[in-house]
Amino acid sequence: MAEKPLILISNDDSIYAKGIKELVKAVKPLGNIVVVAPAQPQSGKSHAVTLDMPLTYRQTKLDEDILSYKVSGTPADCIKIALFKILDRMPNIILSGINHGSNSSVNILYSGTMGAAMEGALHGIPSIGFSLLNFAADADFSTARIFVEKITRTVLAYKGKNNICLNVNIPYDQPENIKGIKVCRQSEGEWREFFSERFHPGNKRPYYWLTGNYKNNEPESSDTDEFALAQGYVSVQPITIDCTDYKMLSDLKKWDF
């Protein structure tokens, strides 16, 4: 009998978040699961790794049948320590999420959820980051689980390149209202940011909270993740580790430095 696929699961909302428990529930029939996730919320950590202090990890209980560990560091730390310290073999797939909130468009640059997925791809392991378009801690993940299972099953069966990395965003709606799955590119957008200034009640010194509003710079482009999500589709975006701007590369070679 063939050995079941080994599925490594992580996230950035912490091992205690509802989303990671729902991710485990969605893919439990597909293989053997090990969870290695941050002990504390790590949203916005992107692909950061911990270099200024030692990492620790400890076994914990997430599900009676699931081997689970909480790690003191970032999502990328979790993948590294799982691959090279905790696991006794390389996983067949790495899943990150289900994130509470969207990781479409430029949000991927800041996302700890996608940082974990991209760390997996760096090591030649098919990896997927899943996000639900709802920030609530008690959000309903029942629709998301349907698409998580379907997409994970498809990637497990894929026989192409090993370092595939997908960014999957799922609308917050009932299953019958989701129009389907659409493969798309990252939308061009930006955060119009500002800092909310407040004052400490004791020493009266100012402190700041980052806030802002997202602006979609190409709302009419039908091939983007933002457009797909607005139309009620699950967006699936292939991600590459290569940060080269190939459109600029040929021009840059002609510059007189």
Side-chain angles (χ1 to χ4, degrees):
M1 183 180 294
E3 191 173 23
K4 284 186 175 181
L6 178 59
I7 302 172
L8 173 61
I9 287 179
S10 193
N11 74 346
D12 72 352
D13 289 316
S14 92
I15 198 166
Y16 302 108
K18 182 179 180 181
I20 199 168
K21 298 173 185 177
E22 296 290 328
L23 178 52
V24 169
K25 191 185 300 183
V27 300
K28 200 171 182 179
L30 302 183
N32 297 318
I33 295 171
V34 177
V35 175
V36 183
Q40 302 294 332
Q42 297 287 322
S43 295
K45 297 295 185 181
S46 187
H47 209 136
V49 293
T50 302
L51 301 175
D52 58 347
M53 62 181 67
L55 287 176
T56 61
Y57 70 89
R58 186 154 57 94
Q59 192 168 343
T60 188
K61 183 177 287 188
L62 185 69
D63 182 291
E64 291 293 339
D65 304 324
I66 303 299
L67 194 58
S68 304
Y69 299 87
K70 58 182 179 181
V71 178
S72 62
T74 67
D77 288 331
C78 291
I79 302 304
K80 287 179 180 293
I81 205 165
L83 297 183
F84 302 112
K85 183 64 179 176
I86 296 174
L87 300 178
D88 58 5
R89 66 183 174 100
M90 287 290 108
N92 297 88
I93 195 169
I94 292 174
L95 307 178
S96 184
I98 303 169
N99 190 63
H100 293 249
S102 172
N103 275 317
S104 60
S105 188
V106 294
N107 292 311
I108 192 173
L109 298 175
Y110 308 103
S111 169
T113 300
M114 289 309 299
M118 293 177 75
E119 180 65 28
L122 273 173
H123 297 287
I125 302 165
S127 301
I128 314 172
F130 291 104
S131 301
L132 178 68
L133 273 62
N134 188 295
F135 287 96
D138 62 347
D140 181 359
F141 284 83
S142 56
T143 298
R145 289 200 310 269
I146 296 170
F147 292 97
V148 166
E149 190 274 342
K150 184 175 184 178
I151 293 168
T152 301
R153 187 184 295 275
T154 301
V155 173
L156 279 170
Y158 177 65
K159 300 303 181 184
K161 69 175 189 175
N162 290 332
N163 64 339
I164 180 176
C165 185
L166 302 180
N167 178 24
V168 178
N169 286 275
I170 304 167
Y172 191 67
D173 210 333
Q174 296 302 310
E176 60 271 20
N177 295 330
I178 304 294
K179 294 180 180 177
I181 297 173
K182 183 159 285 192
V183 176
C184 44
R185 66 174 175 86
Q186 177 181 322
S187 176
E188 291 184 13
E190 59 185 304
W191 280 94
R192 300 291 176 85
E193 296 167 322
F194 61 92
F195 285 89
S196 175
E197 184 178 66
R198 304 177 190 180
F199 293 88
H200 192 282
N203 58 28
K204 307 301 181 184
R205 292 176 180 172
Y207 65 95
Y208 304 91
W209 283 104
L210 177 63
T211 185
N213 298 298
Y214 173 77
K215 181 180 183 297
N216 184 357
N217 291 335
E218 44 178 354
E220 303 304 320
S221 297
S222 61
D223 60 341
T224 69
D225 51 6
E226 286 290 316
F227 190 91
L229 293 166
Q231 297 299 313
Y233 290 91
V234 174
S235 68
V236 176
Q237 175 198 358
I239 301 300
T240 179
I241 304 300
D242 186 351
C243 296
T244 306
D245 182 347
Y246 288 98
K247 291 181 180 179
M248 187 65 189
L249 186 60
S250 58
D251 287 343
L252 197 61
K253 289 178 179 179
K254 301 171 186 176
W255 285 21
D256 184 16
F257 287 103

